Amino acid sequence: MDYFNYKNGVLYCEGVKVEEIARKASTPVYIYSARTFTRHFLQIKESFGSVPSTVCYSLKANSNHDIIKRLNKFGAGFDIVSGGELFRALKAGAPANRIVYAGVGKTDDEIEYAIKNKILCFNSESEEEVENIERIARKLKKTAQICLRVNPDVDPHTHVYITTGKKENKFGIDLIRAEQLAIRMKSYRFARLKGLHMHIGSQILEVAPYVEALGKVVGLLDKLRAMGHQMELLNIGGGFGIFYKEKTARPVEEFATALMPMLKKSNCHILLEPGRFIIGNAGILVTKVLYTKQSGDGRVFVICDAGMNTLIRPTLYGAFHRIWPARDAAKINGEAPAEPPEGRALLTADIVGPICESGDFFAKERKMPAVKRGDLLVVFSAGAYGYSMSSNYNSQPRPAETVVDNKKFRITARREKYNDITKLSS
Ligand code: LLP
């Protein structure tokens, strides 16, 4: 469910014409609907509301300042994976005691920065990391709360690049090693074991892998309690999938219902770390058609001013995103279709960007209405892992980001200028 809809062939984000934002912010531009992401956040919060819980928005999906600020007002916590994300969260006013920190490669400086700021906990991914946190915390004469990230060896049936809870993945600690580490941690005085963490992957559409993984994690929780550890936190990660072809939201209640008996029994404060579910369908990328052309074999290319530098998901994962003009000549109403209705496919085209690589595309052989130079195209479901994975490749400036709230919009990050690209060189 989102608030991007065509009225009489013109695309609106909430109460604002997408064309108007593109005119003001120039293209390419990311547009986020505040009503959509707060709705999705509250949906998760309410679904898990029958246990004491905190929904920690995963900053890596989209770390826009305005989004963090708005979610913070609704009581969100934040999941971070770097010192940079900690800096962003604190700068946006996030309370440190709602911040959880995962990632396999935390540096000494990052650990020190997080301990000094008194974050809620580290989600630790190896024995050496925990040892290092104990050492740094001792040096600082401060305590650090630890959740062990467990690798439950469960297949979440998603893209191989975003599968994180199988034993061959670099993430987490296997159940046996985690138990052995917990025995050692009994003698640690500064790194305190407070709970367990799991995150089995991203864009997961099935409930069963969560249930299987949580079953294993909860089993370990009981063992660690029997050892005398005070296990207060249980973090079940993020990964709730969204639909890219249809606009409907995957009912998160189904996950909650299936997991609830185990969550209740755990007697822990439950943490969740969703990113995509909150912001994925709440964002679009608007790009301008620069040229259209035909190749020697009759293939049509629609060449846009955004490319893999702006949104890398199609290139990296073969991801499908709906793409439709911001103004539709047939004056459609409602949502953008994944495929044109019968008789409306005037064009079958590769939608590509300006980058000097053949892998630079948003879609291949996509059926769509005819478009021409100067038209605006909209790439839907681009709110998660869009801007946050964008780059300056080919020295392209990163686009502006805007947030719409009802009838108003604000440019929350301006488009980069050439000076921004060279500002670190001397
Ligand atoms: N927690 C941890 C420890 C994670 O590694 C991630 C995502 C999340 C939470 C949030 O997952 P979500 O709810 O957004 O699925 N770039 C890829 C996705 C990478 C996900 C990385 N980790 C994509 O564009 O599909």
Side-chain angles (χ1 to χ4, degrees):
M1 172 64 196
D2 65 46
Y3 294 95
F4 295 98
N5 281 301
Y6 286 86
K7 289 180 204 152
N8 226 357
V10 176
L11 183 64
Y12 282 74
C13 172
E14 302 189 18
V16 184
K17 272 187 196 163
V18 160
E19 293 172 335
E20 190 190 327
I21 301 173
R23 215 169 16 246
K24 190 85 179 278
S26 89
T27 59
V29 57
Y30 276 101
I31 301 176
Y32 310 122
S33 155
R35 201 168 160 200
T36 310
F37 64 73
T38 47
R39 184 193 165 106
H40 290 164
F41 170 76
L42 293 173
Q43 220 174 322
I44 298 196
K45 196 174 152 86
E46 280 153 25
S47 299
F48 288 87
S50 56
V51 281
S53 51
T54 306
V55 177
C56 299
Y57 170 66
S58 189
L59 238 61
K60 65 181 81 61
N62 187 324
S63 50
N64 181 280
H65 185 74
D66 192 76
I67 296 172
I68 304 174
K69 266 170 60 183
R70 283 171 190 268
L71 292 176
N72 187 28
K73 282 198 194 135
F74 285 92
F78 297 93
D79 158 48
I80 59 162
V81 282
S82 67
E85 285 191 348
L86 176 55
F87 181 77
R88 277 184 189 273
L90 295 174
K91 195 167 176 192
N97 65 4
R98 292 207 301 256
I99 295 178
V100 298
Y101 186 176
V104 293
K106 303 174 185 83
T107 65
D108 293 5
D109 286 348
E110 287 177 317
I111 291 169
E112 187 162 332
Y113 179 36
I115 293 176
K116 280 184 175 158
N117 277 286
K118 302 193 174 83
I119 61 162
L120 174 60
C121 70
F122 289 94
N123 293 324
S124 289
E125 310 231 12
S126 64
E127 293 98 326
E128 287 191 3
E129 179 194 322
V130 176
E131 235 171 74
N132 199 28
I133 294 175
E134 166 75 4
R135 183 185 63 80
I136 294 169
R138 185 187 311 120
K139 185 188 81 181
L140 297 174
K141 298 193 176 60
K142 291 198 162 36
T143 55
Q145 305 210 97
I146 309 278
C147 283
L148 294 183
R149 178 171 180 174
V150 174
N151 182 324
D153 191 25
V154 167
D155 188 347
H157 303 134
T158 184
H159 193 285
V160 61
Y161 289 0
I162 53 178
T163 294
T164 54
K166 287 177 74 183
K167 62 172 180 285
E168 62 266 36
N169 302 133
K170 68 176 174 179
F171 299 98
I173 309 169
D174 66 75
L175 288 156
I176 294 172
R177 281 191 176 80
E179 198 178 330
Q180 289 163 350
L181 175 57
I183 296 171
R184 249 178 293 151
M185 285 182 78
K186 294 276 292 174
S187 64
Y188 287 8
R189 289 185 30 231
F190 298 90
R192 301 254 170 88
L193 181 57
K194 284 287 166 185
L196 294 177
H197 170 251
M198 67 176 221
H199 172 77
I200 57 173
S202 191
Q203 182 54 12
I204 302 172
L205 293 166
E206 294 171 24
V207 173
Y210 277 97
V211 175
E212 190 188 340
L214 185 61
K216 294 185 177 184
V217 172
V218 167
L220 179 62
L221 198 69
D222 292 339
K223 285 189 182 170
L224 304 194
R225 276 200 176 119
M227 273 180 209
H229 285 294
Q230 303 226 317
M231 305 301 278
E232 293 163 13
L233 301 171
L234 176 58
N235 186 330
I236 64 167
F240 308 120
I242 61 169
F243 294 130
Y244 280 89
K245 281 200 173 163
E246 309 91 32
K247 240 167 82 161
T248 41
R250 177 77 176 74
V252 73
E253 301 81 9
E254 278 179 26
F255 289 104
T257 309
L259 301 174
M260 203 44 81
M262 282 190 275
L263 297 181
K264 285 199 167 138
K265 226 179 109 222
S266 76
N267 246 327
C268 283
H269 186 93
I270 306 301
L271 299 162
L272 297 107
E273 302 174 337
R276 189 192 315 262
F277 188 88
I278 293 171
I279 195 67
N281 282 329
I284 58 171
L285 168 65
V286 183
T287 178
K288 191 158 69 189
V289 175
L290 296 175
Y291 304 103
T292 61
K293 73 171 191 178
Q294 264 192 29
S295 68
D297 68 352
R299 190 178 281 261
V300 176
F301 291 104
V302 172
I303 302 160
C304 306
D305 61 1
M308 64 188 280
N309 55 312
T310 332
L311 175 72
I312 202 171
R313 301 194 71 257
T315 303
L316 197 55
Y317 315 110
F320 179 96
H321 286 261
R322 279 178 295 131
I323 302 176
W324 206 253
R327 181 175 284 264
D328 181 293
K331 298 195 188 272
I332 58 160
N333 278 307
E335 67 184 61
E339 284 206 345
E342 203 59 36
R344 285 233 40 223
L346 303 173
L347 198 63
T348 301
D350 286 8
I351 306 172
V352 303
I355 300 300
C356 298
E357 297 211 22
S358 291
D360 176 30
F361 61 86
F362 289 146
K364 296 244 181 195
E365 298 186 9
R366 182 66 63 89
K367 291 190 172 60
M368 58 190 293
V371 288
K372 58 178 190 318
R373 177 170 157 77
D375 285 354
L376 295 178
L377 279 182
V378 180
V379 184
F380 289 86
S381 306
Y385 307 106
Y387 189 90
S388 64
M389 293 179 81
S390 67
S391 75
N392 287 128
Y393 188 36
N394 282 195
S395 292
Q396 292 277 2
R398 260 179 285 238
E401 290 181 289
T402 59
V403 173
V404 175
D405 188 348
N406 200 4
K407 292 195 159 100
K408 291 198 206 115
F409 75 93
R410 212 166 67 76
I411 298 179
T412 58
R414 65 162 172 80
R415 181 176 167 70
E416 278 179 341
K417 298 182 173 140
Y418 291 145
N419 265 335
D420 294 315
I421 297 174
T422 55
K423 71 179 172 224
L424 300 178
S425 330
S426 53

